[in-house]
């Protein structure tokens, strides 16, 4: 496979970092996106094998910044073949249960979560397609099992990921004639710095027990699925949503 130009959003840490490493290990050139972790992003670029990697920055809730970031990635990489929409927020601003939330708190939680998780990803898709439309490409969205099982403590998060799935499937149909495949992975808990507090003590034991393996995913396991979806052999998986939750939530 020839070297491809790959943009990974939210790539400076956690799952995004693992995804960036996976693509670079396969010989691809990677644009490492971050919002406010410039040092971590620069460190990752230095660690990645191969040449031609770049750092790009944007707040995913800022539409003009997202478009400029995608264009900067394409300029720095010499094109754009793959977009991985990994950036997202969970519980920021702090989630408040519906029965306890004030109206302003409730509205702000939903607005900000959708601005980043859905609208930011949608805007990145639009901008990426402008670079892919002549030669095809791949878009992989990182969703969540919460899109299917419900998130009573994080309703805006679960709804944003369900909407992301619907967006990906609509784009899979719309973009197939251009040779652009669009698919999603839906992980459960992954052992990252974002989930570290949730995995401590008694709550962590309960979370691990949700899977018959009695553990949560490692970032590399989910990154492997993302990488496969970007391969030429995975074109027929366009529109698919691949569950990566260790049988902690099963759907038919």
């Amino acid at each position: 496979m020839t070297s491809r130009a790959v943009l990974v959003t939210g790539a400076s840490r956690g799952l995004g970092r693992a995804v960036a490493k996976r693509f670079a290990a396969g010989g691809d050139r990677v644009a490492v996106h971050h919002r406010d972790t410039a040092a971590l992003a620069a460190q990752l670029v230095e660690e990645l094998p191969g040449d031609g990697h770049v750092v790009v920055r944007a707040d995913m809730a800022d539409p003009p910044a997202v478009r400029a970031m995608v264009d900067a990635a394409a300029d720095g990489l010499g094109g754009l073949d793959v977009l991985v929409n990994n950036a997202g927020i969970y519980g920021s601003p702090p989630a408040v249960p519906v029965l306890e939330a004030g109206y302003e708190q409730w509205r702000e939680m939903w607005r900000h979560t959708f601005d980043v998780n859905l609208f930011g990803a949608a805007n990145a898709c639009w901008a990426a397609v402008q670079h892919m439309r002549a030669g095809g490409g791949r878009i992989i969205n990182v969703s969540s099992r919460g899109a299917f099982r419900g998130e009573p403590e994080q309703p805006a998060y679960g709804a944003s990921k369900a909407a992301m799935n619907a967006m990906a499937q609509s784009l899979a149909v719309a973009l197939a004639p251009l040779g652009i495949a669009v698919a999603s992975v839906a992980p459960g808990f992954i052992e990252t710095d974002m989930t570290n507090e949730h995995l401590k003590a008694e709550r962590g034991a309960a979370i691990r027990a949700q899977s018959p393996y009695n553990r949560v995913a490692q970032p590399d396991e989910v990154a492997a699925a993302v990488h496969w979806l970007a391969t030429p052999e995975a074109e027929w998986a366009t529109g698919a949503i691949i569950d990566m939750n260790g049988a902690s939530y099963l759907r038919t």
Side-chain angles (χ1 to χ4, degrees), residues 16-64:
R17 194 177 187 91
V19 170
K21 288 182 176 181
R22 182 75 183 220
F23 278 99
D28 295 321
R29 308 179 311 283
V30 180
V32 174
H33 160 263
H34 74 98
R35 184 190 66 181
D36 54 13
T37 51
L40 286 175
Q43 179 189 48
L44 175 58
V45 164
E46 289 298 317
E47 295 175 356
L48 293 177
D51 301 314
H53 312 300
V54 298
V55 174
V56 292
R57 182 197 174 279
D59 181 345
M60 296 301 292
D62 182 342

Side-chain angles (χ1 to χ4, degrees), residues 43-179:
Q43 179 189 48
L44 175 58
V45 164
E46 289 298 317
E47 295 175 356
L48 293 177
D51 301 314
H53 312 300
V54 298
V55 174
V56 292
R57 182 197 174 279
D59 181 345
M60 296 301 292
D62 182 342
V66 171
R67 182 179 185 181
M69 178 271 294
V70 174
D71 290 345
D75 289 343
L77 297 174
L80 190 60
D81 302 302
V82 179
L83 166 65
V84 180
N85 271 317
N86 168 72
I89 56 173
Y90 181 88
S92 177
V96 182
V98 61
L99 296 178
E100 300 174 17
Y103 189 46
E104 293 302 320
Q105 286 179 298
W106 183 252
R107 291 173 57 211
E108 175 60 16
M109 177 180 70
W110 282 85
R111 184 198 63 78
H112 188 58
T113 301
F114 268 68
D115 277 350
V116 175
N117 292 1
L118 178 63
F119 303 141
N123 293 337
C125 287
W126 182 92
V129 166
Q130 311 316 306
H131 298 280
M132 296 178 181
R133 61 192 310 158
R138 297 288 184 270
I139 298 173
I140 299 96
N141 292 326
V142 177
S143 177
S144 168
R145 68 176 180 179
F148 305 106
R149 70 169 194 164
E151 293 286 347
E153 296 181 3
Q154 302 279 349
Y157 176 82
S160 70
K161 293 299 187 178
M164 174 186 262
N165 289 340
M167 174 189 73
Q169 292 185 320
S170 295
L171 291 180
V173 178
L175 298 175
L178 299 178

Side-chain angles (χ1 to χ4, degrees), residues 155-240:
Y157 176 82
S160 70
K161 293 299 187 178
M164 174 186 262
N165 289 340
M167 174 189 73
Q169 292 185 320
S170 295
L171 291 180
V173 178
L175 298 175
L178 299 178
I180 302 172
V182 186
S184 305
V185 294
F189 263 91
I190 307 171
E191 191 169 332
T192 67
D193 55 348
M194 188 174 81
T195 62
N196 183 51
E197 288 301 316
H198 297 279
L199 295 174
K200 290 180 178 178
E202 292 182 7
R203 186 176 185 187
I207 290 171
R208 286 185 284 272
Q210 292 172 5
S211 166
Y213 289 109
N214 197 36
R215 68 177 181 87
V216 298
Q218 293 300 308
D220 288 347
E221 293 176 302
V222 182
V226 172
H227 184 264
W228 176 76
L229 285 170
T231 63
E233 295 81 5
E235 182 176 67
W236 213 242
T238 192

